[in-house]
Amino acid sequence: MNDHLKKYLFENRSVRIQAVRLEDTWRDALTHHAYTPAVRRLLGELVAAATLLAANIKFDGSLLLQIQGDGPISLVVVECKMEPARAPIPQAPEGTAGGSGRPGTAVDLSLRATVKVREGQVVPEDGTLQSLLNAHGEGRFMVLLDPRRKTPGQQTYQGIVPLEGDTVAQVLEHYMKASEQLDTRLWLAADDRHAAGLLVQRLPDHGGQVGEAPDEAWNRATQLASTLGADELLAVDTDTLIHRLYWEETLLTFDPQNVRWHCPCGRERVAEMLRMLGRDEVDSILAEQGQVEVLCDFCGKPYRFDSVDCAGLFAARAPMADAPHPPTVH
Ligand SMILES: [Zn+2]
């Protein structure tokens, strides 16, 4: 069962709405980590935000939210990779006007993330974006767009996000307004089971609707969403949530996008890293700890190599010239 990101448009195309509620993805994200509630909440809000922002742009590559912190947390990176859809996506229900209508254009969103807590620091339970990452005003928040296939000379786009605001949502709303000139409102929340978010965006040049002032639909869309608390955002599935908020509106719906957690780490990659480290180093870790344990930087998955595994690492690649005798077959 996949998580999905869902997109909607007001019928007059003046307001875009996106919603995501991650369950399996978020469970996978937390599997190998024991985050404190404050870190989990912050990371979950950034994961939901990265998913919403990635789905909001037309781009072939990865969107990264990266904060270098000066408080108890020294680094948070969330990457949302946009890639061609692998599995067929359920069709939009009948009677809706949405859907890409073009086979092969569906995009999956895959996420990974890392958090580094500064050594020796205790993360307070009531830690916030500001107190955890910008305690001395030296935190740096960047949005990066990394194209999948770089053309020669093409750079990764880097946008600086001023750390102005108490929450991830406020900081990103300011950024969207300043960088995209788009009015965007975000609602984000995370607990130990779900990470969820809602994005409401005013679209430019929609032409308006006869008899409706330009701001009317936007004001209505944001006022309705402002009634939403974090508990409701986390507890209620996306379809129900959107219905509760916007049942009086005619919404165009689009094909949902699959969202999943994916880390490309694997035992063979770790083995290669240990070979690069060299036999002496690996032997000395073995002597000291009885085994070699490497944790993936992103997902935290542990890879363990005992003395037999380690011998295998080097034996398999030993050049023939080093072998004392030619191999014999019995
Ligand atoms: Zn990993």
Side-chain angles (χ1 to χ4, degrees):
M1 171 67 189
N2 265 322
D3 292 325
H4 292 115
L5 178 129
K6 299 195 173 179
K7 294 183 178 184
Y8 311 84
L9 260 187
F10 269 34
E11 194 181 21
N12 70 1
R13 293 177 161 72
S14 63
V15 178
R16 172 189 288 150
I17 297 163
Q18 293 180 182
V20 70
R21 180 167 169 265
L22 303 173
E23 186 167 333
D24 294 352
T25 309
W26 187 229
R27 185 200 56 222
D28 291 348
L30 299 178
T31 298
H32 301 291
H33 297 285
Y35 297 128
T36 62
V39 175
R40 194 174 57 209
R41 185 171 61 244
L42 183 70
L43 181 65
E45 291 186 6
L46 286 163
V47 162
T51 313
L52 291 167
L53 295 183
N56 195 36
I57 54 173
K58 283 196 170 63
F59 181 72
D60 186 16
S62 293
L63 176 140
L64 291 99
L65 299 181
Q66 178 182 310
I67 312 177
Q68 286 167 314
D70 66 354
I73 298 179
S74 59
L75 182 72
V76 185
V77 182
V78 177
E79 179 179 17
C80 185
K81 192 185 268 184
M82 291 150 269
E83 45 195 27
R86 296 165 141 199
I89 293 176
Q91 290 300 305
E94 233 175 274
T96 57
S100 65
R102 300 185 303 278
T105 56
V107 172
D108 279 351
L109 302 168
S110 80
L111 286 151
R112 61 177 185 156
T114 186
V115 179
K116 298 259 184 287
V117 174
R118 211 174 288 283
E119 220 165 291
Q121 292 263 358
V122 177
V123 178
E125 289 292 305
D126 58 351
T128 62
L129 172 72
Q130 291 294 346
S131 70
L132 296 179
L133 283 150
N134 197 31
H136 311 287
E138 303 278 322
R140 276 172 62 83
F141 190 170
M142 313 261 280
V143 173
L144 308 165
L145 291 179
D146 192 17
R148 188 145 62 110
R149 282 187 219 89
K150 279 200 181 79
T151 52
Q154 189 179 9
Q155 304 269 320
T156 300
Y157 165 84
Q158 302 189 0
I160 293 175
V161 184
L163 274 163
E164 291 163 4
D166 293 331
T167 62
V168 173
Q170 284 174 7
V171 166
L172 286 171
E173 284 168 3
H174 291 156
Y175 169 74
M176 294 295 282
K177 181 69 181 163
S179 69
E180 314 279 325
Q181 276 86 48
L182 289 176
D183 285 321
T184 307
R185 295 289 316 275
L186 284 163
W187 288 264
L188 304 168
D191 62 10
D192 56 342
R193 292 195 54 211
H194 296 103
L198 178 76
L199 175 147
V200 179
Q201 189 167 60
R202 175 163 31 190
L203 296 179
D205 303 318
H206 65 90
Q209 189 121 310
V210 180
E212 186 169 66
D215 286 343
E216 213 170 282
W218 167 249
N219 290 341
R220 219 164 52 235
T222 49
Q223 274 162 16
L224 287 166
S226 297
T227 62
L228 188 60
D231 290 348
E232 193 178 5
L233 191 58
L234 291 170
V236 178
D237 71 84
T238 300
D239 291 335
T240 308
L241 184 84
I242 295 297
H243 180 73
R244 273 189 199 173
L245 292 175
Y246 297 113
W247 64 276
E248 283 186 295
E249 303 291 336
T250 304
L251 294 180
L252 312 179
T253 62
F254 294 80
D255 293 338
Q257 283 176 264
N258 295 315
V259 185
R260 68 195 172 101
W261 184 261
H262 174 70
C263 188
C265 68
R267 196 170 169 85
E268 193 40 49
R269 283 190 185 207
V270 177
E272 195 52 45
M273 193 206 82
L274 292 176
R275 285 188 195 104
M276 307 262 289
L277 202 60
R279 183 160 204 163
D280 290 350
E281 186 68 29
V282 169
D283 281 347
S284 89
I285 300 170
L286 263 181
E288 207 174 286
Q289 300 176 7
Q291 66 170 1
V292 180
E293 186 182 73
V294 179
L295 302 182
C296 170
D297 237 14
F298 268 88
C299 66
K301 185 173 179 178
Y303 293 92
R304 296 188 186 90
F305 292 75
D306 64 14
S307 55
V308 176
D309 296 331
C310 290
L313 283 178
F314 296 100
R317 296 291 174 94
M320 287 306 286
D322 284 353
H325 304 290
T328 44
V329 180
H330 295 281

